[in-house]
Amino acid sequence: SGKTPVHDRITYTMRLDDGAAEPLGFVGQLDSSEVQYKTGELDTSILEVLMPASLLINEKNELTHSYGDCSPFINIPVGNVTLDIFSLVRTDLKIAVSTALRESRLRNERVSYDEIPVQIDNEAEYITLVAQPIMDKTGEETGFTALAFIRGKVPLVKDMIHYRIDTAAAQRISNLERELKAAKDSLRNTVTELESVNAELQAANEELLTANEELQSSNEELQSVNEELYTVNAEYQSKVNELAGLNNDMANFLSTTLVGIMMVDRNLNIRKFTEYIAAEFNVADQDVGRSLRYISYNFAAIDLIELCRRVLSTSQPEEHHCASLMGKTYMIRIAPYRVQETGTLQEGESAKTSVQGLVLTFVDTSRQLDDRQQIEAMAEALRQAVLNGQAKEAFLSHMSHDMRTPMTAIAGLTDISLQQEGLPDTVRDNLLKIRLSSRYLMSLIEEILETSRINAGKVVTVAEPTLENSVIEEVAAIITERAREAGQHFEFRIHGGSNRYVLMDSEHVARILLNVLSNSVKFTPAGGSISFDSYIREEDDRSFHRYVIRDTGRGISQTFQKSMFKPFSQEGDEAGQQGGTGLGLYICENLLNLLGGTISCRSELGEGSEFTIELAYDVASQEQVHLHRQQKLSFEDHVLYGRTVLVVEDNTLNAEVITRILESKGIHSELAPDGKSAVELFRAKGESHYQAILMDVMMPVMDGVAAAEAIRKCGSSDAESIPIIALTADVTDETKERCYNAGMTALLLKPIDPEKLFTLLTHVFDK
């Protein structure tokens, strides 16, 4: 209320401020004026000390705050401004203040002195001095000390000490003497250490002088070596000029010779070729480094890949006659490309060589053959083979469409039916068997089409940032369910690694592992066991994976192991009873060749099998991971509800399935039975009515490609920008190219995967 006597106990709320801490504490009334300061929560025991004349001192004995009228106890000195408490406090209080501060900090508790004589306004008075360490509310030290000056004899604080200046002075002098002695001892030790360091520096200086002399000697030697290097460099430059001349000679020879030459490494990757033979192989400069397996050469009745592998195996050259599609005949010679190994030879020892690849030479022998009919017959056979290959591609394309289209309806309706509640157990069991059978049928279709793409050299690998354990964990989850249904025991283990982001073609890696594990499930009887172990070894920016798959199945004979990786290979009648196309291991080996990996097998009949797959991945950078996360959109991140999509599909059942899939996410759909109807609907509904179009490619009246071109030319504001997504079962490159050339935004394969559809729609809506 402001009426409390000055010397009575007053309840204060206090804040102290060091300019850094959070504002907490209290506000009090001192000498009828309100003072506020802050520096963190303080111990409330300070309330027993703070008086109308108080000072706050930091660890450096600097005054940070004053409270009340402190003018009787401190003076402002003449000259530069200072915050040092011993420069500010009255002369007759310096010993008392110094003693109180020292004792309070040393004991970390309050120290109180009474009856301290001072001269205030030329009158002798006795005051009480209290030094109190400042704590926060957790009891931790803050480094601040409060000094309170109380005029007169006031029994305010407990633990009061009667102050005698002679005793305090004597105590202070004793303390100073002890500190002086400690300082002398420290100085003496410092001098001793400096003398020792000086001696060491003198020794080091002598060593530096010696080292300098050695450096001067080394400099003279370096100058001599430098002169020798100039001589060697001149000789080296002469050799370089000679090598350049030889290189020019070789380049001119290769460019002008009438003999076709092609050099490949041990993996059959093209290293160099002459223009003379380029047309027969359909190669250009950008094909250097590409595997010979994926080059469509124009030679009939000859398997160059098999011949190359045989020469690499035997290291013996081979020669063969063949004809080309261009009506020429060639003598083809395949010989090892030998490189002399470096190293010191012993006396009488000849230089060793190693085979680093192959040299293929093609000599035109057309003029040496008199029988032109034979040439024509061979050329015609080659033309027929080309036509048969084109017919095969067309057949696979139509087969893909004709089989995938009904599979879309089967798979979609089965999934929708399984989501219904209250289904009888027998119906649910039948639906699950239908889904299992449809997936098996789709796997057979995929194997045949994948084999076609591999043979045509059209398989493209895409490495994206992927958690290295995610793919194998997903594969293990699938096989766990299959093994459970087959009554088998399945174990999955990961050894080592830290689940880093690596650059992995997850789709092809998963297919390789699933193919091998599916074979183990297929050929292991009920009650048998299958194990899947992943061994991961990390080296800096590379991650090396070794996948080992073991089973207790019937095993593989040594004879069949020699041909097990060839297409359509199956062992005995029992393999046929198990189903399948015999393409799984062929696909695995070819995909591993593209990914730079290997596969090997150990097996005995009746003792199970063990397959080992080895792959290496580059570790993804943080920038690559961040970019991948930004690009990997999910339909859950965006609102699909309320969008309107035009579904163009001639198959009524498929249209119904797609409509139900869209409705599950609140997407409204309108149907068109063919491309012509779709164009008419788009024009009639007006601008911005549809947010996307799902367009089947193969339809009567007007197909999807023609419809997409017509929509793009409608002239409305959204005609050129509306997303048009092609729905097709034809996976050939020609179909994809036609779709994109017609202005379609993206392509989705049948049967429709709902998650892929929603992800794609989210992506196009987000743009």
Side-chain angles (χ1 to χ4, degrees):
S1 65
K3 298 179 180 181
T4 306
V6 172
H7 298 304
D8 286 351
R9 185 183 303 273
I10 304 174
T11 301
Y12 293 94
T13 305
M14 180 177 182
R15 291 183 181 170
L16 300 178
D17 186 28
D18 62 356
E22 299 267 344
L24 283 172
F26 62 96
V27 174
Q29 187 168 354
L30 303 177
D31 282 348
S32 302
S33 62
E34 191 175 39
V35 182
Q36 183 172 353
Y37 31 90
K38 53 190 177 178
T39 186
E41 290 192 5
L42 302 179
D43 189 348
T44 56
S45 63
I46 186 63
L47 305 180
E48 301 177 7
V49 175
L50 195 61
M51 290 297 145
S54 302
L55 303 174
L56 188 64
I57 312 301
N58 64 15
E59 293 176 321
K60 299 179 181 178
N61 293 325
E62 294 176 339
L63 175 63
T64 59
H65 295 281
S66 66
Y67 315 103
D69 184 12
C70 297
S71 61
F73 309 105
I74 60 174
N75 296 317
I76 304 300
V78 178
N80 294 331
V81 176
T82 179
L83 295 176
D84 182 73
I85 187 62
F86 299 115
S87 299
L88 297 174
V89 76
R90 291 169 56 95
T91 304
D92 50 1
L93 285 175
K94 287 186 177 180
I95 294 178
V97 169
S98 173
T99 304
L101 281 174
R102 184 179 185 281
E103 292 298 317
S104 174
R105 290 170 176 167
L106 185 64
R107 289 152 42 184
N108 197 28
E109 63 183 16
R110 182 178 61 207
V111 174
S112 307
Y113 293 116
D114 68 343
E115 296 185 356
I116 302 173
V118 295
Q119 288 284 338
I120 300 177
D121 298 331
N122 296 324
E123 292 184 9
E125 287 189 25
Y126 290 89
I127 69 170
T128 297
L129 175 64
V130 181
Q132 169 72 43
I134 305 301
M135 307 290 181
D136 60 19
K137 286 195 173 182
T138 64
E140 297 294 330
E141 297 180 11
T142 65
F144 291 89
T145 306
L147 290 176
F149 302 90
I150 308 168
R151 299 175 70 171
K153 296 183 179 181
V154 181
L156 177 65
V157 294
K158 53 187 177 181
D159 303 328
M160 189 76 72
I161 301 174
H162 182 65
Y163 180 80
R164 291 179 57 84
I165 189 169
D166 53 345
T167 302
Q171 183 180 358
R172 182 61 177 157
I173 291 170
S174 176
N175 291 337
L176 291 174
E177 286 177 348
R178 284 197 300 271
E179 292 174 0
L180 181 60
K181 183 177 182 303
K184 285 182 178 179
D185 292 339
S186 176
L187 182 60
R188 187 180 298 110
N189 291 335
T190 302
V191 170
T192 302
E193 291 176 0
L194 288 174
E195 289 175 351
S196 175
V197 171
N198 186 45
E200 292 176 358
L201 287 174
Q202 289 179 350
N205 186 46
E206 292 175 358
E207 292 177 0
L208 286 173
L209 291 174
T210 303
N212 187 44
E213 293 175 357
E214 293 176 356
L215 284 173
Q216 290 178 350
S217 176
S218 298
N219 187 44
E220 294 174 357
E221 294 176 0
L222 284 174
Q223 289 179 350
S224 176
V225 170
N226 192 39
E227 293 174 357
E228 294 177 0
L229 284 175
Y230 279 125
T231 303
V232 171
N233 186 53
E235 295 176 357
Y236 174 77
Q237 189 60 45
S238 175
K239 295 295 184 183
V240 168
N241 293 335
E242 292 179 9
L243 184 60
L246 290 173
N247 189 49
N248 291 331
D249 292 342
M250 179 60 69
N252 280 281
F253 169 76
L254 292 177
S255 63
T256 58
T257 183
L258 296 180
V259 176
I261 300 174
M262 178 174 287
M263 300 178 185
V264 298
D265 61 19
R266 292 191 64 87
N267 294 322
L268 303 186
N269 296 322
I270 299 173
R271 293 179 57 247
K272 198 173 288 186
F273 62 90
T274 60
E275 289 297 326
Y276 185 79
I277 202 63
E280 298 288 11
F281 275 90
N282 302 309
V283 292
D285 292 339
Q286 57 267 28
D287 289 314
V288 172
R290 190 179 177 194
S291 176
L292 190 60
R293 290 190 293 267
Y294 307 123
I295 302 298
S296 56
Y297 48 82
N298 296 332
F299 301 110
I302 189 170
D303 188 348
L304 279 181
I305 304 302
E306 183 62 28
L307 290 176
C308 290
R309 288 175 175 168
R310 196 157 64 205
V311 173
L312 285 173
S313 175
T314 63
S315 297
Q316 298 297 321
E318 291 196 13
E319 294 182 351
H320 296 273
H321 287 280
C322 68
S324 76
L325 185 63
M326 302 175 70
K328 294 183 178 181
T329 60
Y330 291 91
M331 165 66 77
I332 299 179
R333 177 180 173 82
I334 305 175
Y337 183 99
R338 299 184 182 275
V339 176
Q340 183 173 324
E341 297 180 355
T342 58
T344 304
L345 298 178
Q346 302 295 330
E347 185 176 354
E349 185 180 10
S350 59
K352 296 181 179 179
T353 61
S354 61
V355 177
Q356 298 296 322
L358 299 172
V359 179
L360 289 74
T361 55
F362 303 83
V363 179
D364 188 349
T365 59
S366 302
R367 298 180 180 178
Q368 300 175 11
L369 295 178
D370 296 329
D371 192 353
R372 298 297 180 182
Q373 294 180 353
Q374 181 181 0
I375 298 176
E376 284 298 325
M378 296 176 71
E380 182 60 31
L382 181 56
R383 294 189 190 98
Q384 191 61 41
V386 171
L387 292 175
N388 290 340
Q390 294 173 349
K392 172 187 171 184
E393 290 295 324
F395 168 75
L396 288 175
S397 173
H398 287 289
M399 184 193 74
S400 169
H401 179 272
D402 292 343
M403 296 185 73
R404 283 174 178 268
T405 298
M407 289 305 300
T408 300
I410 294 172
L413 289 175
T414 302
D415 290 336
I416 291 171
S417 299
L418 284 171
Q419 293 174 5
Q420 297 178 4
E421 298 181 357
L423 286 176
D425 292 341
T426 55
V427 175
R428 183 174 297 277
D429 183 61
N430 290 338
L431 288 173
L432 289 173
K433 290 178 180 178
I434 291 172
R435 183 169 66 179
L436 182 64
S437 298
S438 64
R439 289 178 178 176
Y440 175 68
L441 180 57
M442 280 306 302
S443 69
L444 295 182
I445 298 171
E446 287 296 335
E447 284 184 351
I448 294 172
L449 295 177
E450 186 73 11
T451 302
S452 176
R453 288 194 292 268
I454 288 173
N455 292 335
K458 296 180 180 180
V459 176
V460 179
T461 61
V462 179
E464 295 180 334
T466 308
L467 286 171
E468 59 185 352
N469 288 348
S470 61
V471 173
I472 53 180
E473 287 173 347
E474 291 175 4
V475 169
I478 295 172
I479 296 302
T480 298
E481 181 62 22
R482 293 184 184 178
R484 185 189 63 79
E485 294 174 354
Q488 300 159 346
H489 176 65
F490 177 68
E491 287 185 332
F492 168 60
R493 295 175 291 266
I494 298 178
H495 310 272
S498 54
N499 203 19
R500 299 187 293 182
Y501 272 97
V502 297
L503 297 179
M504 178 191 296
D505 187 339
S506 56
E507 180 180 350
H508 286 140
V509 171
R511 164 160 286 191
I512 292 167
L513 296 175
L514 279 173
N515 278 356
V516 178
L517 283 164
S518 296
N519 281 346
S520 293
V521 173
K522 184 187 300 184
F523 296 110
T524 299
S529 62
I530 301 169
S531 65
F532 178 25
D533 290 272
S534 174
Y535 300 90
I536 303 174
R537 177 171 55 88
E538 298 177 347
E539 291 184 7
D540 299 330
D541 57 351
R542 295 278 284 173
S543 186
F544 298 88
H545 287 226
R546 181 163 56 91
Y547 309 114
V548 180
I549 299 167
R550 302 181 181 91
D551 63 58
T552 59
R554 63 186 183 85
I556 305 171
S557 68
Q558 296 297 318
T559 302
F560 183 65
Q561 288 183 39
K562 297 178 182 179
S563 60
M564 62 191 299
F565 292 106
K566 292 183 178 180
F568 306 106
S569 294
Q570 291 181 303
E571 185 174 19
D573 296 335
E574 185 177 353
Q577 296 171 2
Q578 296 287 345
T581 61
L583 294 172
L585 292 178
Y586 172 75
I587 292 173
C588 287
E589 185 183 46
N590 280 274
L591 291 179
L592 282 168
N593 287 335
L594 290 173
L595 298 175
T598 61
I599 182 172
S600 59
C601 173
R602 291 193 309 170
S603 181
E604 293 287 344
L605 279 176
E607 297 182 5
S609 303
E610 176 183 300
F611 283 85
T612 301
I613 298 168
E614 295 189 6
L615 283 163
Y617 312 107
D618 292 327
V619 175
S621 66
Q622 292 183 353
E623 181 180 357
Q624 289 172 321
V625 174
H626 177 72
L627 181 62
H628 178 67
R629 286 174 175 171
Q630 292 295 106
Q631 293 175 343
K632 189 176 176 60
L633 298 174
S634 171
F635 61 86
E636 297 173 347
D637 300 328
H638 299 271
V639 178
L640 295 176
Y641 184 85
R643 303 278 187 170
T644 301
V645 174
L646 175 60
V647 178
V648 188
E649 171 64 67
D650 63 315
N651 187 298
T652 306
L653 198 54
N654 283 352
E656 180 182 353
V657 170
I658 296 171
T659 299
R660 291 191 184 182
I661 291 173
L662 294 174
E663 287 176 351
S664 68
K665 289 298 175 184
I667 302 174
H668 177 66
S669 60
E670 296 180 8
L671 298 177
D674 53 63
K676 182 179 179 183
S677 300
V679 176
E680 293 173 351
L681 267 176
F682 182 79
R683 288 172 174 166
K685 292 295 184 177
E687 298 177 354
S688 303
H689 179 75
Y690 300 112
Q691 283 76 60
I693 300 174
L694 300 182
M695 181 78 72
D696 186 20
V697 174
M698 296 181 66
M699 293 182 294
V701 185
M702 178 185 287
D703 63 19
V705 174
E709 292 176 340
I711 289 173
R712 292 299 187 208
K713 297 176 182 178
C714 279
S716 59
S717 61
D718 61 341
E720 295 183 1
S721 60
I722 186 170
I724 303 177
I725 301 172
L727 305 180
T728 179
D730 186 354
V731 296
T732 61
D733 289 344
E734 291 77 11
T735 298
K736 294 179 182 178
E737 186 176 357
R738 288 178 58 231
C739 291
Y740 291 131
N741 289 340
M744 293 194 184
T745 310
L747 186 141
L748 203 60
L749 293 179
K750 294 181 179 181
I752 304 302
D753 184 329
E755 184 176 350
K756 291 182 179 179
L757 173 60
F758 292 136
T759 300
L760 182 56
L761 285 175
T762 300
H763 182 72
V764 297
F765 288 155
D766 185 60
K767 288 187 176 180

